[in-house]
Structures are given as structure tokens and as C-alpha cells.
Amino acid sequence: MAVKEKYQSVLDLGEKLNIQNGDVWVEDGILKVKGTANTQYEKNLIWDEIKAVSGEEAPTDIKANITVADESIYAKHTVKSGDTLGKIAKHYYGNARKYTAIFEANKDILNNPDVIHPDQELKIPNL
């Protein structure tokens, strides 16, 4: 299997995440990928997919240079029906109790950590 086809799911994810300034080429049998993710979370998603495809923590058949456009936040999250700050914190941080960090980062649009509404876009801060 050619290296580009092997990592097609990574390329598809990059397209889905709207990675900017992207470029992909093969050099000496190594897939080279570069681009700019919107947030660190999206960059992490790309790397998680690379590791899942390769089965290695540090694959040797792909080199990716993914930068982050907005390093001031970890992610952006659009609230869906049924979301709570605790559920959102669990998703991004693995710990629901870190919901207070999300609340503090969004006090410009939130007055109460128990009241969020679908379609609100929340900043998920770097911790």
C-alpha cells in the first residue's frame, strides 16, 4: 500500500477540520504533511489519527508539521442539546470538575455555570 493511501483518513480529517495552508507530498517514501489547525485540540485530533493509522507513537513513514492558528485557547465548542459544562469539560480535559475553567473563560456570554444554550460557541481554555 502506498503511504498516501495508508494515511488517507488523516488527509480526510484534515479536510473535515478545514486545515488551512495545507500541503501534502511524498518524498523518499515518506508522506510529508503541513498545515495550520484552528486550535490545539484539532492539531491533537490529527496526531491521534496519525498514531492510530501507523500503530506507533512516533511513525517513521510520515512527517507532519501542523501549526496552530489560535494558541490562546485549546478548542472552541458549539453547545448541543443535552450538553453541560461538566460533560464538555470531561470531553476535552477528561475531568468533569474542570467545568469551572470553561465557565470562567466564557463569562462574557455565561452568567451561570448551570445555564448554557444550544448553538452558543464556548472557548475551551488551555489548562
Side-chain angles (χ1 to χ4, degrees), residues 19 33-37 42-43 46-47 50 64-68:
I19 299 299
V33 180
K34 74 172 192 170
T36 304
E42 290 180 357
K43 177 180 176 177
I46 295 286
W47 276 105
I50 289 170
N65 180 8
I66 309 297
T67 57
V68 175

Side-chain angles (χ1 to χ4, degrees), residues 46-71:
I46 295 286
W47 276 105
D48 289 346
E49 184 64 18
I50 289 170
K51 291 174 197 173
V53 170
S54 72
E56 302 173 36
E57 188 66 26
T60 56
D61 60 350
I62 184 171
K63 301 286 183 200
N65 180 8
I66 309 297
T67 57
V68 175
D70 186 353
E71 293 182 343

Side-chain angles (χ1 to χ4, degrees), residues 4 7 13 15 50 85-86 100 116:
K4 190 172 180 183
Y7 288 100
L13 179 58
E15 193 170 304
I50 289 170
L85 290 184
T100 56
I116 60 175

Side-chain angles (χ1 to χ4, degrees), residues 19 28 30 52 92 105 114:
I19 299 299
D28 298 325
I30 297 173
Y92 290 102
D114 296 323

Side-chain angles (χ1 to χ4, degrees), residues 12-95:
D12 292 344
L13 179 58
E15 193 170 304
K16 178 181 172 190
L17 295 174
N18 198 26
I19 299 299
Q20 297 297 303
N21 307 314
D23 197 8
V24 177
W25 70 100
V26 177
E27 187 176 295
D28 298 325
I30 297 173
L31 183 64
K32 301 205 174 183
V33 180
K34 74 172 192 170
T36 304
N38 291 314
T39 64
Q40 183 64 44
Y41 178 72
E42 290 180 357
K43 177 180 176 177
N44 291 354
L45 289 175
I46 295 286
W47 276 105
D48 289 346
E49 184 64 18
I50 289 170
K51 291 174 197 173
V53 170
S54 72
E56 302 173 36
E57 188 66 26
T60 56
D61 60 350
I62 184 171
K63 301 286 183 200
N65 180 8
I66 309 297
T67 57
V68 175
D70 186 353
E71 293 182 343
S72 69
I73 61 171
Y74 180 65
K76 292 180 183 176
H77 179 87
T78 302
V79 176
K80 297 172 202 64
S81 182
D83 276 351
T84 66
L85 290 184
K87 284 181 186 177
I88 295 167
K90 177 79 173 163
H91 174 76
Y92 290 102
Y93 303 131
N95 183 343

